[in-house]
Amino acid sequence: MSSKPIGTTLHVAAAILAVALAAVSPLYGQAEKPLTWLQDLNYLESISKGDIVAQQNTVADIRVEVQRWIDLHPNAGVTLPEAPARPWNAEQTANQIQALHQTVELVIKQDPDHPFHLGVVNVNVNAAVSAVSPLSDSIDQTEIAEHNEVNAALAMESLPGVSIQHSYGGRNQEMVSIHGFNYLQVPLYVDGILMNDPYDGTLDYRQIPTSDIAEIQVAKGFSSSLLGPNAVGGAINILTKEPQKKFEGEMLVGGSSGDGFLSSLRLGSRTSRFFVQGSLDWQQADYVPLSGNFVTNALQPNDHLNHSDSQNAKYSGRVGWTPHGKGEYVFSYMNQKANDGIPLATGNDPLDGTGCGAGATVSTCYFRSSYRRWGYWDKTSYYFHSDTPLGENSSLKLRVFYDEYPNLMYFYTGLPYSAATLNTSPGWITTYDDHADGFSSEFGTKLLPRNAISGMFYFKDDTHRTVPLFPYSSGPAWDSDRQQTASIGLQDFVTILPNFTATGGISIDHLDGLRASDDQTYYAFVAPQCPTNTDPNNFKACTPHRWAYNPQVSLAYSFKDSGRLFFGFAQKSRFPSLKEMYSYRMGSGLPNPNLQTEHSNNWQIGYSRDFGAHTVAQLEFFRSDLKDAIEFIPVPVSELPASCGNGAYACSMNENASQETHEGVELRLHTTPVHRLTFDANYTYVNKKINGYTFQGQQIYDYPCGGGYLVEGTGANAQQTQIANNTCLTPTDLPKHKAVATATLRLPAQAMLISTLRYESGTKAIDSYSVGPRSSTTYYYEVIPMSNYATWDLGGSMPIYKGAVIQAGVKNLLDRNYYTVLEYSEEGRNWFINLRFRF
């Protein structure tokens, strides 16, 4: 069976730019956004002279951020007049606001990023505080382009507290974890609209190209009450670009290792009342190159990772109307298509008993569901954004959305993949025809002195539909699940004192299940999964109806020595996904329609300081206490339903099984010791603890992890023990230590060199195998440490013509062979060469 084509394969040897502006530290991100400054200054200009002196610290904060932008962009030709010594009187404060307003307008003309401001979720009017959260990080297009971070996963990899979760064998997707909270607990928004799949919440961040991204905002633990539900561990908001000139555009073409090719085109135009924009993106690779130090074997005979090909395309357009320069009304369209392979295990499992270790063969390592690849994973979106002024101090924003998520995964009976080996068993190959629609409205007002008050109402309707290519012999031809979520949010940013601010808010969320189908029969759930229902056509039975309450508060105090102390507390929640409640996980588990809501208390406290000489540092401590965490755990033998058979581990299910603690520290430093040299560094320590398991609310003492025993040692030295298995209490896929350091050297003629060092350690995985016949199987487990590794990336750029820049570089320069996922080596030494033209 051939894969579904999504475009014509092109092979071009060419190359890209890295924008010839200085690197922008992620420490400042959203705080430096010119449109945010302009909005804040407009507000400050509306304050009466009697109150304006009380705002001089806010004005000074904006001035510091504008000056940092100027220092980091020395070629922009923007200057800021000197300010008189403080304290300022009313006239001096008003003069500073006017001078800043003129300077910021010049900055906007020079800013290459141009974020779509209607996608920002407004929290406050303080330029020193992020719009997605007062305690957040961000990265903008300038830095993304300079580091050749061509997709969203790569772009966020360098941010503190953020780690990338790989899932090679099952889905071959990359998702984001924040402080140990996974992709279901950290929703992704694009321009303020939720992007996650309505059924299982997955989304491959590699499929999001960065060419039209202006900024990525990351909130950790504390996120805006105006975003919507399920942000138990944080939230991510991607802001796309919008045009600012009468005619502008960007073109990109590049090549890379693995026979990779990428290209993009963005064109836009803005007049006094209208703007229009369109973009095209294409990325493809034939394989992922492995390190030359990888030891080949029968399953992976070369350094081209098997079945690792990928093709991704994106087409988008936007039309906006800005009547009389006030208000804005925008319609956006996006069509994204992906067709990726799914690699098989590479034959280097540290436990020989798995059949995938030393001497592994196809028959010993792979099983029925191993052979798979994506036919397609597509997404089509229609969005409407509006911003309507209500007088001089209030506004109403509206976001309306409709998303389609069609996808198909092929399963095969063996190698090679073809129509002859397609798995035609009933129910194995299904198409997902999911869709989501809804809206959010946001009212903001500054009528009350010292307050910026916002209110939000959010509604979303999710539908999951499964249609098998080879249906069951009887019963309905398809199944469907549906649920609705709603949220009301309130938030207030308060200037208590000129140097002391607070943000308080609360959101109230509701989940209403409308339909639930048994994906093995396509009828409604009945006993034992739904004990109260006997009617197989009662699809309303055992659907959830839940409420959640999420209060939060943050405080910030600015010292006279340029120091800033901040604190945040947020009580957050997450409803279970449709898949967590209703899926049999391809026969490996049981559904659990009775799953409850996760809850977490998230704390953050930190201190940042500008030390002068263009040096700033920040230290932050965080802790989250997650209750009723949803875990996929074995059902105790005493609780096994008859359909599961008799042995331990015969069935597993999702349960609100554990209490978790996520705690750690982040340290960040940004400095420009000399005019042409900039250093950025960050370090994150995360300690995640799983504090025991329960089943249906009862503590499990003699059955902690589903039975089985531990293995000690690896390879030929592995020894089976009689120690009870406790590996389920070990957090996996999460580095305990992570550090990133970048040096940026600006050379004459606007050339640039960038060197980046990355280090990760402490990631763990759980490996297992079984011994004996199915009727009396014994399972063995071991916690396997993944690689403690460091990589070095080196790149540079040089302008070659007006608006055209060539960029080249090598990543993993020392060809480190390292693992973050069991059995799958990460990408070895790889090169890129690109060319970008901006006009």
Side-chain angles (χ1 to χ4, degrees), residues 8-11 256 258-262 282-286 310-312:
T8 304
T9 302
L10 301 176
H11 295 279
S256 61
D259 289 343
F261 172 75
L262 76 159
W282 173 266
Q283 296 183 15
Q284 71 174 55
D286 290 346
S310 62
Q311 294 180 347
N312 298 286

Side-chain angles (χ1 to χ4, degrees), residues 1 15 48 62 71 269 281 283 294 391 421 425 459-460 486 501 613 746 748 767 788 794 817-818:
M1 174 71 64
S48 65
I62 298 175
D71 292 341
S269 176
D281 288 273
Q283 296 183 15
F294 176 84
T421 59
S425 300
F459 174 81
K460 186 168 184 275
T501 59
R746 294 180 293 275
D767 205 0
N788 298 336
L794 187 63
N817 182 41
Y818 64 99

Side-chain angles (χ1 to χ4, degrees), residues 33-51:
K33 285 298 135 190
L35 289 176
T36 303
W37 300 331
L38 191 61
Q39 180 187 32
D40 299 341
L41 291 167
N42 288 335
Y43 165 68
L44 292 169
E45 287 177 336
S46 69
I47 296 177
S48 65
K49 286 191 175 182
D51 293 326

